[in-house]
C-alpha cells in the first residue's frame, strides 16, 4: 500500500512495524512497541503502554476497534479517521492512505455527534447483506456453556433409585462418548473431530444475514440479523448434532440408531448422517406430522431410514399409549418412548436424541460460535438474542457463547426464548424432575415441564411440541438469565409470511416463532427511536410445511391455548418425592 510516496515496508523502523501490502493500520500497530512517522506537519506516535491499554478492552475500546471520542480528528480524503486526546490516539478505518501533500489534511474540530454518525456510517458500509466466514474460520471446538454456569444443571436421575444416573446406566441407552459429553460440566471447549468438521463443510459455514429488506419494510431504526441454518437438504440446524451422534455411534462399532422426530427436520438430518456413515436408522415420527408432512417422510426413506408413525402398535409402550389415549395425534414424548424401547431391546443399537440433552446443546453451539466470530469480525454486538424454544437445541446453540460472556461478566445481552402458546413449558410449566418421555421409560430430568403425560394440540410447529425444556436452559431461566414468551400460531404465521415476502426465504413454523418476536422488538424500537441490534435464529426452511401455510391462507388455522385445568392434568403425572414439586 502506498502512503504519500513511501510503502509500509519503507516506513517500518528496525522491524518494529509488521506489515505487508494488504495490512491495515491497526494490523501494523497491533504489536508495535514504539514508532513514529513524520508526515508533513504531523507526527504520529503510539507508545507501548498506551496501546496495551487501548487494546485491553477497557471502556469502548476493543482489539481491532476504535477509541472513544477524542478531542480532535484529522480527516484524510479516503474518509479514515485519526482519533486522539491528551494521552493517546488510535488509528481507525480500513487503511490510512496519506495524500501526496499532507498539508491538505487540515485539522478540524468535530462534535461528538458528527464523529459518532460518521463512525456509524463507516461501520454500516462495511457490513454486507450476508456474512460468510472462510472455511479456515470455522469453529474447531464446541463450546460447553455448563463450564461457566455457577449453578450447574441438575443431574439426570434413575427413576427407580432417584439417584444420579451413572455413566454405565446411561451407556445402555446412549453411545459411550456421548455419555461423557452429557456428564461433562467442567470442560469449556471440546474438540470437534476432523471427520465431523469435514462433513460440516458440505453446508457450513452458515450465513449471518443482515435483514436490510425487513428493516426497510418495518421502517425501524433497529438493526436485524439472523443466522440462517437452512442451507442443507434437511432444511434445518439439526444436522449439526445428527452427524456428531452418528459419528460416535459408528466409532463405537454399532449397527444403527433409533430416534424420534416431530416436524421431521431431525429425522431427515439423522437419516442423512446415517446414510453418509452407513448406519441403519429407525425413526418414530409424531403421528400428526407423519400425516401432515408426507414428503418429509419420503426424504427420510430416500436416505434409507424406516419411518413409523407414533404412537404405534409396534412397541409395548406405543400400545399402552394408544390404549390410554385412543386416536391421539402423538407427541415427541410418545415418540421418544418408542425409540428408546427399540434401542434397548435391539442388539447393536443405541438411541440418539435431537434436542433437550446437554450433548445436543454442545453440538449445536457451532451455530453461536460461528455467529459470534462473524459479528466480532464486523464489530457488531447484539442487544437482543431471540430463539424459538421446544426442547432447546436451536436456542441453546445460538445463545451459548453469548451466554458464556454474560455468565463470566464480560458482556450483557437480553435473551428471549419463544415457545408456542399451545405448549408453554417455560411460561406456564413447573420447574421439577419429570420423565423425558410419555411412556416413562427414560431418566428423570429437572426441567420446566407440563408433565410427561401432557399431549399438546396438533400445532403446526411440530418441532416445538415437547412437554419439557432442556435442563441447561431451564437452570439458566430459573436463575434469571433469560426471558420467555409464548405466542399464538396465527400470529406466528402472519410474521412468517411477512418475512418471506421481503427476505425471500420461506421460514419453518418453528423458526417463525423467533421471527414473530424479532418483529415485535423491532417495532418497539420504531416507537422509542432506539437503534437496538437484534439477532435471531432462522433454524430452517418451511418448504415441507405447505399444509400449514395452506391452512393459514385459507383462514382455517385456529389458536389453541390450554386451560389451567388442562395443565393441571399434566402436572398430576409429575413424580412426587421429597423436594421435587414447588
Amino acid at each position: 500500500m502506498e502512503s504519500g510516496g513511501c510503502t509500509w515496508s519503507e516506513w517500518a523502523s528496525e522491524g518494529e512495524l509488521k506489515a505487508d501490502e494488504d495490512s491495515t493500520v491497526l494490523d501494523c500497530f497491533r504489536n508495535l512497541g514504539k514508532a513514529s512517522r513524520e508526515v508533513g506537519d504531523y507526527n504520529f506516535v503510539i507508545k507501548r503502554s498506551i496501546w496495551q491499554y487501548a487494546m485491553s478492552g477497557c471502556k469502548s475500546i476493543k482489539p481491532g476497534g476504535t477509541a472513544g471520542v477524542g478531542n480532535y480528528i484529522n480527516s484524510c480524503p479516503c474518509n479514515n479517521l485519526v482519533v486522539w486526546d491528551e494521552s493517546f490516539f488510535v488509528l481507525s478505518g480500513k487503511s490510512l492512505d496519506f495524500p501526496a501533500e499532507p498539508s491538505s489534511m487540515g485539522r478540524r474540530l468535530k462534535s461528538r455527534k458528527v464523529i459518532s454518525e460518521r463512525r456509524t456510517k463507516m461501520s454500516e458500509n462495511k457490513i454486507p447483506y450476508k456474512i460468510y466466514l472462510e472455511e479456515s474460520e470455522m469453529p474447531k471446538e464446541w463450546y460447553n456453556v455448563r463450564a461457566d454456569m455457577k449453578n450447574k444443571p441438575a443431574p439426570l436421575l434413575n427413576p427407580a433409585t432417584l439417584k444420579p444416573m451413572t455413566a454405565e446406566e446411561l451407556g445402555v441407552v446412549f453411545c459411550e462418548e456421548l455419555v461423557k459429553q452429557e456428564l461433562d460440566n467442567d470442560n469449556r471447549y471440546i474438540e470437534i473431530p476432523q471427520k465431523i468438521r469435514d462433513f460440516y463443510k458440505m453446508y457450513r459455514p452458515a450465513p449471518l444475514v443482515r435483514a436490510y429488506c425487513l428493516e426497510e419494510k418495518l421502517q425501524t431504526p433497529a438493526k436485524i440479523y439472523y443466522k440462517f441454518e437452512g442451507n442443507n437438504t434437511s432444511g434445518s440446524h439439526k444436522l449439526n448434532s445428527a452427524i456428531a451422534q452418528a459419528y460416535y455411534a459408528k466409532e463405537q462399532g454399532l449397527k444403527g440408531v433409533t430416534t424420534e422426530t416431530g416436524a421431521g427436520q431431525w429425522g431427515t438430518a439423522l437419516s442423512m448422517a446415517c446414510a453418509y456413515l452407513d448406519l441403519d436408522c429407525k425413526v418414530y415420527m409424531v403421528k400428526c406430522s407423519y400425516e401432515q408432512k408426507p414428503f418429509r417422510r419420503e426424504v427420510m426413506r430416500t436416505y434409507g431410514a424406516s419411518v413409523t408413525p407414533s404412537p404405534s402398535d409396534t412397541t409395548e409402550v406405543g400400545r399402552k399409549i394408544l390404549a390410554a389415549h385412543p386416536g391421539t395425534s402423538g407427541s415427541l414424548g410418545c415418540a421418544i418412548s418408542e425409540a428408546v424401547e427399540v434401542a434397548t431391546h435391539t442388539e447393536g443399537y443405541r438411541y440418539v436424541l435431537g434436542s433437550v440433552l446437554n450433548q445436543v446443546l454442545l453440538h449445536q453451539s457451532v451455530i453461536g460460535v460461528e455467529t459470534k466470530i462473524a459479528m466480532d469480525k464486523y464489530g457488531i454486538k447484539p442487544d437482543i438474542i431471540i430463539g424459538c424454544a421446544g426442547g432447546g437445541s436451536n436456542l441453546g446453540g445460538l445463545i451459548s457463547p453469548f451466554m458464556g460472556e454474560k455468565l463470566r461478566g464480560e458482556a450483557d445481552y437480553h435473551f428471549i426464548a419463544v415457545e408456542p402458546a399451545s405448549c408453554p413449558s417455560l411460561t406456564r410449566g413447573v420447574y421439577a424432575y419429570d420423565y423425558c418421555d410419555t411412556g416413562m421409560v427414560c431418566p428423570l430430568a429437572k426441567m420446566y415441564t407440563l408433565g410427561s403425560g401432557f399431549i399438546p394440540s396438533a400445532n403446526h410447529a411440530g418441532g416445538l411440541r415437547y412437554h419439557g425444556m432442556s435442563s441447561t436452559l431451564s437452570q439458566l431461566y430459573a436463575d434469571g438469565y433469560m426471558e420467555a414468551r409464548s405466542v399464538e400460531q396465527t400470529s406466528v404465521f402472519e410474521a412468517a409470511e411477512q418475512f418471506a415476502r421481503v427476505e425471500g426465504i420461506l421460514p419453518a413454523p418453528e423458526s417463525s416463532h423467533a421471527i414473530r418476536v424479532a418483529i415485535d422488538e423491532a417495532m418497539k424500537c420504531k416507537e422509542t427511536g432506539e437503534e437496538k441490534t437484534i439477532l435471531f435464529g432462522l433454524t430452517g426452511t418451511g418448504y415441507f410445511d405447505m399444509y400449514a401455510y395452506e391452512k393459514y391462507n385459507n383462514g382455517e388455522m385456529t389458536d389453541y391455548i390450554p386451560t389451567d385445568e388442562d395443565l393441571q392434568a399434566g402436572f398430576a403425572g409429575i413424580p412426587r418425592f421429597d423436594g421435587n414439586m414447588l
Side-chain angles (χ1 to χ4, degrees):
M1 180 179 68
E2 295 293 329
S3 301
C6 66
T7 64
W8 279 114
S9 58
E10 290 170 340
W11 186 8
S13 173
E14 298 179 356
E16 289 181 307
L17 286 171
K18 308 297 183 184
D20 57 35
E21 292 286 317
D22 298 320
S23 293
T24 66
V25 174
L26 289 174
D27 291 331
C28 296
F29 280 113
R30 193 175 297 279
N31 297 311
L32 180 61
K34 179 180 180 181
S36 64
R37 167 62 170 157
E38 293 275 349
V39 182
D41 298 330
Y42 305 104
N43 187 37
F44 294 83
V45 180
I46 280 185
K47 295 181 180 179
R48 180 186 298 275
S49 60
I50 298 302
W51 184 249
Q52 289 176 340
Y53 174 80
M55 295 298 289
S56 68
C58 95
K59 296 183 180 178
S60 64
I61 308 167
K62 295 185 177 180
T66 59
V69 177
N71 295 329
Y72 299 96
I73 69 168
N74 273 331
S75 177
C76 69
C78 60
N79 288 329
N80 290 294
L81 303 178
V82 181
V83 183
W84 73 90
D85 62 18
E86 294 179 348
S87 58
F88 71 93
F89 73 85
V90 284
L91 302 175
S92 66
K94 292 182 180 178
S95 61
L96 188 62
D97 293 324
F98 295 109
E101 298 182 7
S103 60
S104 66
M105 294 177 71
R107 177 174 294 182
R108 294 181 305 220
L109 184 64
K110 296 287 185 180
S111 70
R112 290 175 181 267
K113 180 178 180 181
V114 171
I115 295 173
S116 175
E117 288 176 351
R118 189 163 186 182
R119 283 187 185 147
T120 300
K121 182 177 179 181
M122 289 170 61
S123 177
E124 288 184 352
N125 286 341
K126 294 191 296 184
I127 300 174
Y129 182 81
K130 291 183 179 179
I131 301 174
Y132 281 100
L133 299 180
E134 299 291 336
E135 283 188 0
S136 60
E137 297 175 292
M138 288 174 60
K140 295 179 175 59
E141 297 171 314
W142 292 305
Y143 167 66
N144 182 8
V145 70
R146 287 166 286 159
D148 287 315
M149 292 172 63
K150 181 179 180 180
N151 297 322
K152 307 296 184 184
L156 295 170
L157 297 185
N158 185 318
T161 65
L162 298 182
K163 294 182 179 180
M165 293 284 290
T166 65
E168 290 74 19
E169 290 171 331
L170 290 172
V172 176
V173 179
F174 304 111
C175 301
E176 295 171 359
E177 190 61 33
L178 294 173
V179 169
K180 294 178 184 177
Q181 294 177 2
E182 185 67 25
L183 300 177
D184 189 345
N185 288 335
D186 302 314
N187 290 306
R188 183 175 290 167
Y189 298 102
I190 295 176
E191 183 179 359
I192 304 174
Q194 184 63 51
K195 191 159 188 176
I196 296 176
R197 286 162 51 196
D198 290 342
F199 186 92
Y200 279 169
K201 290 176 183 177
M202 292 187 194
Y203 63 99
R204 307 202 73 86
L208 174 67
V209 185
R210 173 73 181 271
Y212 285 112
C213 298
L214 182 61
E215 291 173 18
E216 177 66 22
K217 183 69 174 180
L218 299 176
Q219 290 291 290
T220 177
K223 299 174 179 65
I224 306 172
Y225 295 84
Y226 58 91
K227 182 67 166 175
F228 181 46
E229 289 291 314
N231 282 340
N232 62 78
T233 302
S234 73
S236 81
H237 67 295
K238 295 292 188 177
L239 198 53
N240 300 329
S241 185
I243 185 58
Q245 296 190 58
Y247 167 81
Y248 291 120
K250 186 70 174 180
E251 288 292 295
Q252 193 172 321
L254 300 177
K255 297 176 183 177
V257 294
T258 68
T259 197
E260 82 299 324
T261 193
Q265 288 101 327
W266 166 247
T268 303
L270 187 63
S271 66
M272 290 176 63
C274 287
Y276 180 75
L277 295 169
D278 196 26
L279 284 170
D280 185 38
C281 181
K282 301 182 188 296
V283 179
Y284 285 84
M285 187 173 187
V286 175
K287 185 177 290 183
C288 66
S289 294
Y290 183 93
E291 294 169 349
Q292 292 173 358
K293 303 175 184 180
F295 297 120
R296 272 281 180 201
R297 178 181 72 222
E298 292 312 309
V299 173
M300 287 182 259
R301 292 177 63 191
T302 298
Y303 281 102
S306 64
V307 187
T308 304
S310 174
S312 73
D313 60 3
T314 64
T315 64
E316 181 179 350
V317 68
R319 290 187 289 270
K320 288 182 179 179
I321 293 171
L322 286 171
H325 305 278
T328 179
S329 59
S331 70
L332 282 168
C334 298
I336 290 171
S337 297
E338 294 201 271
V340 170
E341 179 182 319
V342 173
T344 55
H345 288 76
T346 309
E347 185 178 354
Y349 282 73
R350 291 293 186 278
Y351 168 70
V352 294
L353 182 62
S355 191
V356 182
L357 295 175
N358 294 328
Q359 56 187 273
V360 179
L361 269 65
L362 174 71
H363 306 150
Q364 294 295 355
S365 69
V366 69
I367 302 172
V369 174
E370 267 191 14
T371 302
K372 193 165 190 317
I373 292 172
M375 289 192 139
D376 287 349
K377 193 173 182 178
Y378 284 87
I380 306 163
K381 181 184 180 296
D383 299 296
I384 305 170
I385 304 176
I386 304 166
C388 61
S393 64
N394 156 72
L395 176 66
L398 176 66
I399 71 173
S400 281
F402 301 97
M403 180 63 77
E405 285 192 329
K406 184 165 185 171
L407 292 168
R408 296 190 299 271
E410 298 170 359
D412 192 22
Y413 304 96
H414 181 191
F415 301 103
I416 305 176
V418 190
E419 60 186 7
S422 61
C423 195
S425 57
L426 284 174
T427 53
R428 297 178 68 191
V430 296
Y431 190 32
Y433 268 105
D434 193 14
Y435 287 98
C436 295
D437 65 313
T438 303
M440 303 182 184
V441 297
C442 288
L444 299 174
K446 189 170 185 182
M447 57 185 174
Y448 280 89
T449 178
L450 300 172
S452 63
F454 178 79
I455 305 293
S457 67
N459 185 290
H460 292 288
L464 305 183
R465 296 178 68 252
Y466 183 63
H467 66 275
M469 184 56 61
S470 151
S471 292
T472 297
L473 295 181
S474 291
Q475 184 67 62
L476 291 169
Y477 182 61
D479 289 343
Y481 290 105
M482 295 191 305
E483 177 190 353
R485 298 182 194 174
S486 64
V487 290
E488 299 176 3
Q489 69 173 348
T490 52
S491 175
V492 166
F493 275 84
E494 177 188 30
E497 290 201 349
Q498 185 176 9
F499 178 85
R501 291 172 185 178
V502 295
E503 285 294 320
I505 297 173
L506 187 70
E510 293 80 8
S511 311
S512 301
H513 287 68
I515 294 173
R516 173 70 277 163
V517 171
I519 290 176
D520 291 346
E521 289 299 312
M523 295 308 291
K524 288 181 184 178
C525 289
K526 183 177 181 178
E527 294 174 3
T528 64
E530 295 176 283
E531 295 184 11
K532 290 185 178 180
T533 298
I534 300 168
L535 167 66
F536 71 89
L538 182 54
T539 56
T541 56
Y543 300 109
F544 288 109
D545 298 284
M546 299 319 298
Y547 176 81
Y549 277 97
E550 179 186 30
K551 289 290 185 182
Y552 177 74
N553 290 328
N554 289 344
E556 299 170 354
M557 182 176 286
T558 58
D559 291 314
Y560 171 76
I561 300 176
T563 64
D564 290 341
E565 290 74 18
D566 293 333
L567 296 182
Q568 285 302 321
F571 297 153
I574 295 175
R576 261 56 174 182
F577 54 87
D578 289 343
N580 188 39
M581 290 297 290
L582 298 179

Coordinates of all heavy atoms in Angstrom, one line a residue, residues 157 159 162 424-426 428-440 442-455 466-469 474 564 566-582:
L157 N -31.8 -38.3 36.9 CA -32.0 -39.3 38.0 C -32.5 -40.6 37.5 O -33.3 -40.7 36.5 CB -33.0 -38.7 39.0 CG -32.6 -37.5 39.8 CD1 -33.7 -37.2 40.8 CD2 -31.3 -37.6 40.4
P159 N -35.0 -43.3 37.7 CA -36.4 -43.2 38.3 C -36.6 -44.3 39.4 O -37.5 -44.1 40.2 CB -37.3 -43.4 37.1 CG -36.5 -44.0 36.1 CD -35.1 -43.5 36.3
L162 N -33.9 -42.9 42.3 CA -33.9 -41.4 42.5 C -32.4 -40.9 42.8 O -32.3 -39.8 43.4 CB -34.8 -41.0 43.6 CG -36.3 -41.3 43.4 CD1 -37.1 -40.8 44.5 CD2 -36.8 -40.7 42.1
P424 N -46.7 -24.3 26.4 CA -45.9 -23.3 27.1 C -45.1 -23.8 28.3 O -45.4 -23.5 29.4 CB -47.0 -22.3 27.5 CG -48.2 -23.2 27.8 CD -48.1 -24.4 26.9
S425 N -44.1 -24.6 28.1 CA -43.4 -25.2 29.2 C -42.6 -24.2 30.0 O -42.6 -24.3 31.3 CB -42.4 -26.3 28.6 OG -41.5 -25.7 27.7
L426 N -42.0 -23.2 29.4 CA -41.3 -22.2 30.2 C -42.2 -21.2 30.9 O -42.1 -20.9 32.1 CB -40.3 -21.5 29.3 CG -39.0 -22.2 29.0 CD1 -38.2 -21.4 28.0 CD2 -38.1 -22.5 30.2
R428 N -45.5 -21.4 31.5 CA -46.6 -21.9 32.3 C -46.3 -23.2 33.0 O -47.1 -23.7 33.8 CB -47.9 -22.0 31.5 CG -48.4 -20.6 31.0 CD -49.7 -20.8 30.2 NE -50.8 -21.2 31.0 CZ -52.0 -21.6 30.4 NH1 -52.1 -21.7 29.1 NH2 -53.0 -21.9 31.2
G429 N -45.2 -23.8 32.7 CA -44.8 -25.0 33.3 C -44.3 -24.9 34.7 O -44.1 -23.8 35.3
V430 N -43.9 -26.0 35.4 CA -43.3 -26.0 36.7 C -41.9 -26.5 36.6 O -41.6 -27.3 35.7 CB -44.1 -26.9 37.7 CG1 -45.5 -26.3 37.9 CG2 -44.2 -28.3 37.2
Y431 N -41.0 -26.1 37.5 CA -39.6 -26.5 37.4 C -39.5 -27.7 38.4 O -39.5 -27.5 39.6 CB -38.7 -25.3 37.9 CG -37.3 -25.5 37.7 CD1 -36.8 -26.3 36.6 CD2 -36.3 -24.9 38.5 CE1 -35.4 -26.5 36.4 CE2 -35.0 -25.1 38.3 CZ -34.5 -25.9 37.3 OH -33.2 -26.0 37.1
A432 N -39.4 -28.9 37.8 CA -39.4 -30.1 38.7 C -38.8 -31.2 37.9 O -38.6 -31.2 36.7 CB -40.8 -30.4 39.1
Y433 N -38.4 -32.3 38.6 CA -38.0 -33.5 38.0 C -39.2 -34.2 37.3 O -40.2 -34.3 37.9 CB -37.3 -34.5 39.0 CG -35.8 -34.3 39.1 CD1 -35.3 -33.7 40.3 CD2 -35.0 -34.8 38.1 CE1 -33.9 -33.5 40.4 CE2 -33.6 -34.6 38.3 CZ -33.1 -34.0 39.4 OH -31.7 -33.8 39.5
D434 N -39.0 -34.6 36.1 CA -40.1 -35.2 35.3 C -39.5 -36.2 34.3 O -38.3 -36.1 34.0 CB -40.9 -34.2 34.6 CG -42.3 -34.8 34.1 OD1 -42.6 -35.9 34.6 OD2 -42.9 -34.1 33.3
Y435 N -40.3 -37.1 33.9 CA -39.9 -38.0 32.8 C -39.7 -37.3 31.5 O -40.4 -36.4 31.2 CB -40.9 -39.1 32.6 CG -40.9 -40.2 33.7 CD1 -41.9 -40.1 34.7 CD2 -40.0 -41.2 33.8 CE1 -41.9 -41.0 35.8 CE2 -40.1 -42.1 34.8 CZ -41.0 -42.0 35.8 OH -41.1 -42.9 36.8
C436 N -38.6 -37.7 30.8 CA -38.4 -37.1 29.5 C -39.3 -37.6 28.4 O -39.3 -37.0 27.3 CB -36.9 -37.3 29.1 SG -35.7 -36.6 30.1
D437 N -40.1 -38.6 28.7 CA -40.9 -39.2 27.7 C -42.3 -39.6 28.3 O -42.4 -39.7 29.5 CB -40.3 -40.5 27.1 CG -40.1 -41.6 28.2 OD1 -39.6 -41.2 29.3 OD2 -40.5 -42.7 27.9
T438 N -43.2 -39.8 27.4 CA -44.6 -40.1 27.8 C -44.7 -41.5 28.4 O -45.5 -41.7 29.4 CB -45.6 -39.9 26.6 OG1 -45.4 -38.6 26.1 CG2 -47.0 -40.1 27.0
G439 N -44.0 -42.4 27.9 CA -44.0 -43.8 28.4 C -43.3 -44.0 29.7 O -43.3 -45.1 30.2
M440 N -42.6 -43.0 30.2 CA -41.9 -43.1 31.5 C -40.9 -44.2 31.5 O -40.7 -44.9 32.5 CB -42.9 -43.3 32.6 CG -44.0 -42.2 32.7 SD -45.1 -42.4 34.1 CE -46.2 -41.1 33.9
C442 N -37.7 -43.3 30.3 CA -36.4 -42.6 30.3 C -36.1 -42.1 31.7 O -36.9 -42.1 32.6 CB -36.5 -41.4 29.4 SG -36.5 -41.8 27.6
P443 N -34.8 -41.6 31.9 CA -34.5 -41.0 33.2 C -35.3 -39.7 33.5 O -36.0 -39.2 32.7 CB -33.0 -40.6 33.0 CG -32.5 -41.4 31.9 CD -33.7 -41.6 31.0
L444 N -35.2 -39.3 34.8 CA -35.9 -38.1 35.2 C -34.9 -36.9 35.0 O -33.8 -37.0 35.3 CB -36.3 -38.2 36.7 CG -37.3 -39.3 37.1 CD1 -37.4 -39.3 38.6 CD2 -38.6 -39.1 36.4
A445 N -35.5 -35.8 34.4 CA -34.7 -34.6 34.2 C -35.3 -33.5 34.9 O -36.6 -33.4 34.9 CB -34.5 -34.3 32.7
K446 N -34.5 -32.6 35.6 CA -35.1 -31.4 36.2 C -35.2 -30.4 35.1 O -34.2 -29.9 34.6 CB -34.3 -30.9 37.4 CG -35.0 -29.8 38.1 CD -34.3 -29.5 39.4 CE -35.1 -28.4 40.2 NZ -34.5 -28.0 41.5
M447 N -36.4 -29.9 34.9 CA -36.7 -29.0 33.8 C -38.0 -28.3 34.0 O -38.8 -28.7 34.8 CB -36.7 -29.8 32.5 CG -37.7 -30.9 32.4 SD -37.6 -31.9 30.9 CE -38.8 -33.2 31.2
Y448 N -38.3 -27.3 33.2 CA -39.6 -26.7 33.2 C -40.4 -27.7 32.3 O -40.1 -28.0 31.2 CB -39.6 -25.3 32.6 CG -39.1 -24.3 33.6 CD1 -37.8 -24.0 33.7 CD2 -40.1 -23.7 34.4 CE1 -37.4 -23.0 34.7 CE2 -39.7 -22.7 35.3 CZ -38.3 -22.4 35.5 OH -37.9 -21.5 36.4
T449 N -41.5 -28.1 32.9 CA -42.3 -29.2 32.3 C -43.8 -29.0 32.5 O -44.3 -28.3 33.4 CB -41.9 -30.6 32.9 OG1 -42.7 -31.6 32.3 CG2 -42.1 -30.6 34.4
L450 N -44.6 -29.5 31.5 CA -46.0 -29.5 31.6 C -46.5 -30.9 32.0 O -47.7 -31.1 32.1 CB -46.6 -29.2 30.2 CG -46.2 -27.8 29.7 CD1 -46.7 -27.6 28.2 CD2 -46.8 -26.7 30.5
G451 N -45.6 -31.8 32.3 CA -45.9 -33.1 32.7 C -45.7 -34.0 31.5 O -46.2 -33.7 30.4
S452 N -45.1 -35.2 31.7 CA -44.8 -36.1 30.6 C -46.1 -36.6 30.0 O -46.1 -37.1 28.8 CB -43.9 -37.3 31.1 OG -44.6 -38.0 32.0
G453 N -47.2 -36.6 30.7 CA -48.5 -37.0 30.1 C -49.2 -36.0 29.3 O -50.3 -36.3 28.7
F454 N -48.7 -34.8 29.3 CA -49.4 -33.7 28.5 C -49.2 -33.9 27.0 O -48.1 -34.1 26.5 CB -48.7 -32.4 28.9 CG -49.3 -31.2 28.2 CD1 -50.5 -30.6 28.6 CD2 -48.7 -30.6 27.1 CE1 -51.1 -29.5 27.9 CE2 -49.2 -29.5 26.4 CZ -50.4 -29.0 26.8
I455 N -50.3 -34.0 26.3 CA -50.3 -34.2 24.9 C -50.7 -32.9 24.3 O -51.9 -32.4 24.4 CB -51.3 -35.3 24.4 CG1 -51.0 -36.6 25.2 CG2 -51.3 -35.5 22.9 CD1 -49.7 -37.2 24.8
Y466 N -43.1 -30.3 22.6 CA -42.5 -31.2 23.6 C -42.9 -30.6 25.0 O -42.9 -29.4 25.2 CB -41.0 -31.2 23.5 CG -40.2 -32.1 24.5 CD1 -40.4 -33.4 24.4 CD2 -39.4 -31.5 25.4 CE1 -39.8 -34.3 25.3 CE2 -38.7 -32.4 26.3 CZ -38.9 -33.7 26.3 OH -38.3 -34.5 27.2
H467 N -43.1 -31.5 25.9 CA -43.7 -31.1 27.2 C -42.6 -30.4 28.1 O -43.0 -29.8 29.1 CB -44.3 -32.3 28.0 CG -43.3 -33.3 28.4 ND1 -42.8 -34.4 27.5 CD2 -42.6 -33.5 29.5 CE1 -42.0 -35.1 28.1 NE2 -41.8 -34.6 29.3
G468 N -41.3 -30.6 27.9 CA -40.3 -30.1 28.7 C -39.3 -29.2 28.0 O -39.4 -29.0 26.8
M469 N -38.3 -28.8 28.8 CA -37.2 -27.9 28.3 C -35.9 -28.5 28.7 O -35.8 -29.0 29.8 CB -37.4 -26.5 28.7 CG -36.5 -25.5 28.2 SD -36.4 -25.4 26.4 CE -38.1 -24.9 26.0
S474 N -33.3 -24.7 31.3 CA -34.2 -24.5 32.5 C -33.5 -23.9 33.7 O -34.0 -23.0 34.3 CB -34.8 -25.9 32.9 OG -35.6 -26.4 31.9
D564 N -56.0 -23.8 32.5 CA -55.3 -24.2 33.7 C -55.7 -25.6 34.1 O -54.8 -26.4 34.6 CB -55.7 -23.2 34.8 CG -55.1 -21.9 34.7 OD1 -54.1 -21.7 33.9 OD2 -55.6 -20.9 35.3
D566 N -56.4 -28.0 31.9 CA -55.6 -28.9 31.0 C -54.2 -29.1 31.6 O -53.7 -30.2 31.6 CB -55.5 -28.3 29.6 CG -56.8 -28.2 28.9 OD1 -57.7 -29.1 29.2 OD2 -57.0 -27.3 28.1
L567 N -53.6 -28.0 32.0 CA -52.2 -28.1 32.6 C -52.2 -28.9 33.9 O -51.2 -29.7 34.1 CB -51.7 -26.7 32.8 CG -51.5 -25.8 31.5 CD1 -50.9 -24.5 31.8 CD2 -50.7 -26.6 30.4
Q568 N -53.2 -28.7 34.7 CA -53.2 -29.5 36.0 C -53.2 -31.0 35.8 O -52.6 -31.7 36.5 CB -54.4 -29.0 36.8 CG -54.2 -27.6 37.5 CD -53.0 -27.6 38.4 OE1 -52.7 -28.5 39.1 NE2 -52.3 -26.4 38.3
A569 N -53.9 -31.4 34.7 CA -53.9 -32.8 34.4 C -52.5 -33.3 34.1 O -52.2 -34.4 34.4 CB -54.9 -33.0 33.2
G570 N -51.7 -32.5 33.4 CA -50.4 -32.9 33.1 C -49.5 -32.9 34.3 O -48.7 -33.8 34.5
F571 N -49.7 -31.8 35.1 CA -48.9 -31.7 36.4 C -49.1 -32.9 37.3 O -48.2 -33.3 38.1 CB -49.2 -30.4 37.1 CG -48.8 -29.2 36.3 CD1 -49.5 -28.0 36.5 CD2 -47.8 -29.2 35.3 CE1 -49.2 -26.8 35.8 CE2 -47.5 -28.0 34.6 CZ -48.2 -26.9 34.8
A572 N -50.3 -33.4 37.3 CA -50.7 -34.5 38.2 C -49.8 -35.7 38.0 O -49.6 -36.5 38.9 CB -52.1 -34.9 38.0
G573 N -49.2 -35.9 36.8 CA -48.4 -37.1 36.5 C -46.9 -36.9 36.8 O -46.2 -37.8 36.7
I574 N -46.6 -35.7 37.3 CA -45.2 -35.5 37.7 C -44.8 -36.3 38.9 O -45.6 -36.3 39.9 CB -44.9 -34.0 37.9 CG1 -45.1 -33.2 36.6 CG2 -43.5 -33.7 38.4 CD1 -45.0 -31.7 36.7
P575 N -43.7 -37.0 38.9 CA -43.4 -37.8 40.1 C -43.3 -37.0 41.4 O -42.8 -35.9 41.4 CB -42.0 -38.4 39.7 CG -41.9 -38.3 38.3 CD -42.7 -37.1 37.9
R576 N -43.8 -37.6 42.4 CA -43.8 -36.9 43.7 C -42.8 -37.6 44.6 O -42.8 -38.8 44.9 CB -45.2 -37.0 44.4 CG -46.1 -35.8 44.3 CD -46.4 -35.4 42.9 NE -47.4 -34.3 42.9 CZ -47.9 -33.8 41.8 NH1 -47.4 -34.2 40.6 NH2 -48.8 -32.8 41.9
F577 N -41.8 -36.8 45.1 CA -40.9 -37.2 46.1 C -40.3 -36.0 46.8 O -40.5 -34.9 46.3 CB -39.8 -38.1 45.5 CG -39.0 -37.5 44.3 CD1 -37.9 -36.7 44.6 CD2 -39.4 -37.8 43.0 CE1 -37.2 -36.2 43.5 CE2 -38.7 -37.2 42.0 CZ -37.6 -36.4 42.2
D578 N -39.7 -36.2 47.9 CA -39.3 -35.0 48.7 C -38.5 -34.0 47.9 O -37.5 -34.4 47.2 CB -38.4 -35.5 49.9 CG -39.2 -36.3 50.9 OD1 -40.5 -36.1 50.9 OD2 -38.6 -37.0 51.7
G579 N -38.9 -32.8 48.0 CA -38.2 -31.7 47.3 C -38.5 -31.5 45.8 O -37.9 -30.6 45.2
N580 N -39.4 -32.3 45.2 CA -39.5 -32.3 43.8 C -40.5 -31.2 43.3 O -40.2 -30.5 42.4 CB -39.9 -33.6 43.2 CG -39.8 -33.6 41.7 OD1 -38.9 -33.0 41.1 ND2 -40.8 -34.2 41.0
M581 N -41.6 -31.1 43.9 CA -42.6 -30.2 43.5 C -42.5 -28.8 44.2 O -42.4 -28.8 45.4 CB -44.0 -30.7 43.6 CG -44.4 -31.9 42.7 SD -44.3 -31.4 40.9 CE -45.8 -30.4 40.9
L582 N -42.7 -27.8 43.4 CA -42.6 -26.4 44.0 C -43.9 -26.1 44.8 O -45.0 -26.6 44.4 CB -42.4 -25.4 42.9 CG -41.1 -25.5 42.1 CD1 -41.0 -24.4 41.1 CD2 -39.9 -25.4 43.0

